[in-house]
Amino acid sequence: MKYIKLLFIVLTGLFLVACDDGPKGSFGFTLPDGNAEYGQQYFVEFRCVDCHTVVGLEDELVAPFGIDPIMNVPLGGATHRIETYGELVTSIINPSHKVSSQYKMTPDTGDGQSVMRNYNSIMTVDELIDIVAFVQDQYTLKPYPPTTYKIY
Ligand code: HEC
């Protein structure tokens, strides 16, 4: 009986960790709705297009601006790499949280850091919100229940 109780406690703990619900978890994180149209413009202005193609928008994003891409990491569609809104936002503000060995550059960063540029000190939060709205539209993400804001 004691062991069953212990097993229950351990499993509950694991469940909580898996739910990302601890003090450092992302539960409750919600950005306001962004403007996907502006987001598309920022996507070009910040030169995300140097490294990313967007499924279905290849001609629209690169050709008119005469951009010569340096690599091709496709964004959008149904992928197992990005399944939730949280993963999408994280991949923009913390690119090194998951580094793909598929995309190597010369010179290699060599230290497990992503080759993706870090935009955190140049991108405003408003711009981030709009870019997320644009990129999110390109993915088949798991439905995200946004926080309902209540006066308390
Ligand atoms: C210098 C190249 C480069 C630039 C510029 C760049 N990225 Fe990335 N990005 C990458 C690479 C490489 C990855 C794959 C993960 C890794 O190895 O870091 C990635 C991953 C991502 C992912 C996760 C996709 C996945 O399938 O894993 C998103 C979303 C993303 N980038 C968005 C952006 C946005 C938005 C911008 C512009 C604000 C941008 N990136 C600019 C190189 C770049």
Side-chain angles (χ1 to χ4, degrees):
M1 190 66 198
K2 216 162 99 195
Y3 291 110
I4 294 181
K5 228 179 186 176
L6 189 69
L7 185 70
F8 180 74
I9 292 169
V10 169
L11 285 179
T12 312
L14 280 177
F15 180 72
L16 285 178
V17 171
C19 280
D20 210 11
D21 213 6
K24 286 192 97 184
S26 56
F27 179 77
F29 175 79
T30 306
L31 294 176
D33 283 338
N35 180 321
E37 229 171 275
Y38 289 164
Q40 179 166 340
Q41 286 168 26
Y42 296 140
F43 195 80
V44 176
E45 276 171 33
F46 281 107
R47 300 294 294 251
C48 310
V49 284
D50 277 349
C51 304
H52 292 290
T53 46
V54 177
V55 182
L57 291 179
E58 292 84 355
D59 297 338
E60 241 170 278
L61 290 176
V62 177
F65 307 100
I67 290 165
D68 193 9
I70 43 181
M71 62 166 65
N72 177 12
V73 184
L75 299 184
T79 150
H80 292 293
R81 288 184 309 195
I82 298 284
E83 287 192 335
T84 66
Y85 174 84
E87 283 176 315
L88 174 56
V89 177
T90 305
S91 62
I92 300 174
I93 56 183
N94 185 11
S96 296
H97 82 293
K98 252 198 226 166
V99 177
S100 165
S101 56
Q102 212 182 326
Y103 307 108
K104 290 250 163 76
M105 272 179 105
T106 321
D108 195 336
T109 55
D111 48 3
Q113 295 295 300
S114 172
V115 293
M116 180 162 152
R117 282 178 210 138
N118 188 318
Y119 295 91
N120 294 356
S121 49
I122 51 166
M123 189 187 281
T124 67
V125 177
D126 276 340
E127 287 162 343
L128 172 73
I129 289 167
D130 291 343
I131 287 188
V132 169
F134 164 67
V135 180
Q136 188 173 22
D137 282 354
Q138 317 307 321
Y139 278 103
T140 316
L141 298 178
K142 277 187 190 159
Y144 176 74
T147 314
T148 36
Y149 296 100
K150 289 193 200 114
I151 296 171
Y152 61 94

